[in-house]
Amino acid sequence: MKGPKEVKVDATVSNSCQMSTCLSLYFTTIFDAAGKEVPDFEYTPQSIAHLYNLATVSQAKTQAANIVANDFRQKAAEYRSQAARIREILENVGLAQESLPSNVVASAQVLANVANLLNIRDTELSSFLVAMGDISLRKTGVDEKRAKVHKESKTLLEYTRKAIARLTYLKRTLAQLEDDVAPCDAQMENWKTNLGVMASKERQYMQQYNNYRALQNRVGYTLEINHGVLVEMAEHRKDLEKKTKPILDTLRSYQDLPPDKALAALAIEDKKRQYAAAEKYLEDVLQSALATSD
């Protein structure tokens, strides 16, 4: 089949009017060959450049199609010539199609159909074997692909089942969470109330802490005075009390003396007599104890 009449477009033409005229003539020829009208469009530098590119590509494809068509026509002529020669040879040896039985003709037709199906150019046994081997290899490849696809489908099916189970679990979890919303809201309100109370207590404690710090600053408390230091000071105080107790007792005994010197002398003499009597009493007790032992 012949293509539309070609119109050569010179790419070196710089005049846009001439190029638009050539393109209009080219596309008119193309659309007339297709039985359609050329659509209206505005000739601008961009549209002209685009149409020129389309025309160039169309010419290249038309030339390639003409080359392929000419090759096919040449091959068809060669096949017809070869078929006529083979027919003449068969007629000379008495194997013309008209002289053959119908079953032979049917078998030959089946053989030709099989050859066309196997995409072979002759009916040699080797060609059929090669074609059948190729089909077997392709069948093996298809079987392997089918097994692979089947395995993948099973894997996808397993994933789908797991996904459905996971979705069911998530839906159940979502429903449970939705049921827990009201209790959680109530608990949150309780926590907010408790948080307000704790914040108030915190402000109260901070105020007390600041008051205590101010009191410590007023009394001269420093960081050096800690629990260990206080314990040491208490122990030192106990030691001082033990050491000063005899002195205090002596001082208290002195407080019993009368303020007058004479009275004090009498009191001292009285104490001496009491002391002497006590010593004498002790001696008597000792003497009597010794006498009893003898």
Side-chain angles (χ1 to χ4, degrees):
M1 179 179 179
K2 293 185 179 180
K5 184 179 179 182
E6 296 183 6
V7 177
K8 301 295 183 180
V9 180
D10 191 358
T12 60
V13 177
S14 60
N15 193 325
S16 61
C17 293
Q18 294 180 358
M19 183 176 290
S20 62
T21 303
C22 294
L23 290 173
S24 177
L25 180 59
Y26 176 77
F27 284 105
T28 300
T29 305
I30 297 297
F31 278 89
D32 289 341
K36 297 182 181 180
E37 296 182 357
V38 180
D40 295 332
F41 56 89
E42 184 180 359
Y43 288 97
T44 62
Q46 292 80 7
S47 63
I48 291 174
H50 183 65
L51 292 174
Y52 174 74
N53 293 331
L54 289 177
T56 303
V57 174
S58 177
Q59 287 181 2
K61 290 186 176 181
T62 301
Q63 291 177 359
N66 289 333
I67 293 172
V68 174
N70 292 331
D71 181 64
F72 284 162
R73 282 192 289 270
Q74 183 179 357
K75 288 181 178 179
E78 292 177 356
Y79 291 154
R80 283 194 295 270
S81 176
Q82 185 176 4
R85 184 173 61 82
I86 293 174
R87 186 180 300 108
E88 182 180 359
I89 293 173
L90 292 175
E91 290 177 352
N92 291 332
V93 297
L95 295 177
Q97 183 175 355
E98 294 79 6
S99 61
L100 293 175
S102 58
N103 58 349
V104 175
V105 175
S107 299
Q109 187 64 40
V110 171
L111 187 62
N113 292 336
V114 173
N116 291 328
L117 181 62
L118 296 176
N119 195 21
I120 56 178
R121 295 186 177 183
D122 53 49
T123 57
E124 294 290 336
L125 180 60
S126 59
S127 299
F128 277 97
L129 293 176
V130 172
M132 291 299 294
D134 183 62
I135 290 178
S136 298
L137 291 176
R138 286 191 290 176
K139 180 178 179 299
T140 303
V142 170
D143 291 338
E144 291 177 355
K145 290 182 180 179
R146 181 179 298 174
K148 182 178 179 181
V149 170
H150 182 66
K151 183 178 180 181
E152 291 177 354
S153 64
K154 289 181 63 177
T155 303
L156 292 176
L157 180 61
E158 185 66 23
Y159 287 160
T160 304
R161 290 175 180 173
K162 291 181 180 179
I164 293 173
R166 188 66 177 176
L167 179 60
T168 305
Y169 171 74
L170 291 176
K171 287 182 178 179
R172 186 167 59 252
T173 304
L174 178 61
Q176 184 178 359
L177 291 175
E178 289 177 351
D179 294 337
D180 294 340
V181 168
C184 290
D185 289 340
Q187 189 174 6
M188 286 294 294
E189 291 296 330
N190 187 18
W191 286 350
K192 288 174 65 177
T193 303
N194 294 336
L195 184 62
V197 174
M198 292 178 65
S200 177
K201 288 292 184 180
E202 180 186 7
R203 289 191 295 270
Q204 180 182 354
Y205 293 153
M206 289 299 296
Q207 184 64 35
Q208 293 179 359
Y209 173 76
N210 293 329
N211 295 335
Y212 290 149
R213 291 289 297 177
L215 179 62
Q216 289 174 354
N217 293 331
R218 285 198 300 271
V219 299
Y221 174 80
T222 59
L223 295 177
E224 289 78 9
I225 303 175
N226 51 29
H227 180 71
V229 174
L230 294 176
V231 171
E232 292 179 359
M233 292 176 66
E235 293 178 353
H236 183 62
R237 180 174 176 274
K238 290 180 180 179
D239 294 338
L240 292 177
E241 288 178 351
K242 290 179 180 178
K243 293 178 180 180
T244 57
K245 188 175 184 304
I247 300 173
L248 290 174
D249 293 338
T250 304
L251 291 175
R252 289 192 186 97
S253 64
Y254 290 160
Q255 290 177 357
D256 296 335
L257 296 175
D260 192 0
K261 184 177 180 181
L263 295 176
L266 291 175
I268 292 171
E269 290 297 331
D270 185 47
K271 293 293 182 180
K272 286 181 178 180
R273 285 193 301 271
Q274 292 179 2
Y275 180 73
E279 285 184 347
K280 185 175 182 305
Y281 176 75
L282 181 60
E283 289 178 357
D284 293 339
V285 171
L286 290 175
Q287 288 294 333
S288 62
L290 291 173
T292 304
S293 61
D294 292 336

